[in-house]
Each structure stands twice: as C-alpha cells, then as structure tokens.
Amino acid sequence: MKKTNIEQLLIHQHNEKYYDINLMQKDVTGGKISKEQIDNIKKYPQAKSVIVSGLYQETFEYFIDNYGKQFEVITFWKNKNVKDLSKLSQLSNVRMIVYFYNDKVTKLWDLSDNVNLQILELWNFKNLHSIEGIQKANKLEHFSIGAQAGGKMLIDTLKPLVNSNISYFGCYTVVGDNNYNILSKT
C-alpha cells in the first residue's frame, strides 16, 4: 500500500538513518556545532532532509540563511540555546519541522510564509506557553506539541487551533484554561 505524503514525512522523525544529512553532535546535551560543520551541507546539494543539533542563535541563523531553503524535512535535535525562531519564516519549501528541546523560545514565528508546511512537532519547549499564530500555516495538517523524556510543558489555551486546517493534533502537555472542548470546533 502506498504511503501518504504525511506518512512518508513522519518516517524521518523516527529513524535518523532516513535523513539525507546527519549533523547531530555526539554530546548528549546537543553539543555545539560550528559554521564549518554546517558548511558540509555544500557537499550534498540534492539533500532534502537534515537532522541537526548544537545550534546556538548565531549558527541557527547561519544554517537557515545559507541552507534552510534546500530542505523539505528538518529536525532540530537539542538546540536549546536558540532564543528566536523567526528565521524559520524564510522556509517556504519546508514540509516538516520537528524541534526537540528548547529552553529559550517564548513564542512561535510567523508561519504564514511556510506555505508548504504540513507537519510541525514541538517537544519540550519549557518557556513556550502560547501557540498563537499556528492558524497562519495554511497547509499544516499535523501538529504535535508537548513534553517527552520527563519534561513538562504548559500551553495557555488551544483557541488558536479553531481557525486552522489541522486534522491531526497531538497534545502531550497541560492546557492552562482546561478548555479541551475547543477541539470539537476545529
């Protein structure tokens, strides 16, 4: 049986060997990646998927500015020192973003320019309490958010989902207003 686009994209999330490029650092905390290590992407101009760890704000912006538009699937693994995700709005080709573990981010980026984004998963974002703006991702069908590996998350409300096109929602977090009935309106 032929897999749907969503199913094909989700395969990447569960097995790092499916990525065209693996830039995960060996350090269990995520490590720290250099611009020179990121520049190895030049060797693989046909690559469409990448998993990367150890980004700090400067190298996150460098990665997005220089290579981000190349990829349809990006997994950010333990890039806990990135503070601002606004550069992600430049990724018009991306179809799937998985971001695991961040201590600094407090708000989503403007998703309106992510015109091909179908899957978004945000895991263990300790200081992200609002999903306002999620409704701006017009093609977004699959959205998961929450805590894994013993982490905790709190989202204030699910109301931004009402005007979205999300057909799959995975919620593994506490919702501050306890209004889960809002999901019947999506």
Side-chain angles (χ1 to χ4, degrees):
M1 180 164 78
K2 188 174 189 236
K3 293 191 183 327
T4 66
N5 284 340
I6 297 292
E7 289 171 324
Q8 290 172 347
L9 289 171
L10 285 172
I11 287 171
H12 289 281
Q13 174 192 351
H14 300 291
N15 194 334
E16 69 183 61
K17 73 178 183 179
Y18 285 100
Y19 290 93
D20 296 330
I21 300 174
N22 182 337
L23 294 176
M24 286 183 56
Q25 304 304 292
K26 294 181 193 264
D27 188 325
V28 72
T29 67
K32 187 171 184 178
I33 194 168
S34 68
K35 290 179 181 179
E36 293 77 24
Q37 288 171 301
I38 294 169
D39 284 338
N40 282 315
I41 294 171
K42 289 178 188 175
K43 299 175 188 174
Y44 308 97
Q46 303 303 316
K48 296 295 177 198
S49 62
V50 63
I51 185 168
V52 59
S53 70
L55 293 169
Y56 283 63
Q57 190 66 43
E58 180 184 352
T59 48
F60 172 77
E61 292 178 9
Y62 181 82
F63 168 76
I64 299 296
D65 287 342
N66 292 284
Y67 303 103
K69 290 183 179 183
Q70 174 178 334
F71 298 105
E72 294 179 3
V73 175
I74 302 174
T75 292
F76 296 99
W77 184 260
K78 293 187 178 180
N79 296 283
K80 61 186 176 185
N81 292 299
V82 175
K83 296 176 184 174
D84 179 4
L85 297 177
S86 61
K87 284 282 185 180
L88 292 176
S89 66
Q90 297 176 14
L91 304 181
S92 57
N93 295 328
V94 71
R95 295 171 45 204
M96 177 178 172
I97 295 174
V98 176
Y99 201 123
F100 177 76
Y101 192 64
N102 183 285
D103 284 345
K104 310 282 192 262
V105 169
T106 59
K107 66 179 183 173
L108 296 177
W109 65 99
D110 180 358
L111 288 110
S112 60
D113 290 329
N114 299 124
V115 295
N116 290 302
L117 184 63
Q118 297 173 327
I119 300 170
L120 177 60
E121 296 194 356
L122 302 173
W123 301 106
N124 294 66
F125 273 63
K126 188 168 99 176
N127 291 307
L128 178 68
H129 303 298
S130 172
I131 57 171
E132 184 58 46
I134 199 71
Q135 67 275 20
K136 293 181 180 180
N138 291 327
K139 284 195 176 179
L140 188 63
E141 297 174 29
H142 175 113
F143 177 53
S144 293
I145 188 166
Q148 291 182 337
K152 293 183 181 181
M153 276 188 76
L154 167 72
I155 298 299
D156 295 332
T157 184
L158 300 176
K159 289 179 184 175
L161 295 173
V162 172
N163 296 315
S164 73
N165 292 318
I166 296 167
S167 57
Y168 173 85
F169 175 61
C171 182
Y172 307 91
T173 184
V174 175
V175 177
D177 66 5
N178 272 333
N179 186 358
Y180 295 93
N181 293 331
I182 204 82
L183 295 175
S184 66
K185 298 177 183 177
T186 64

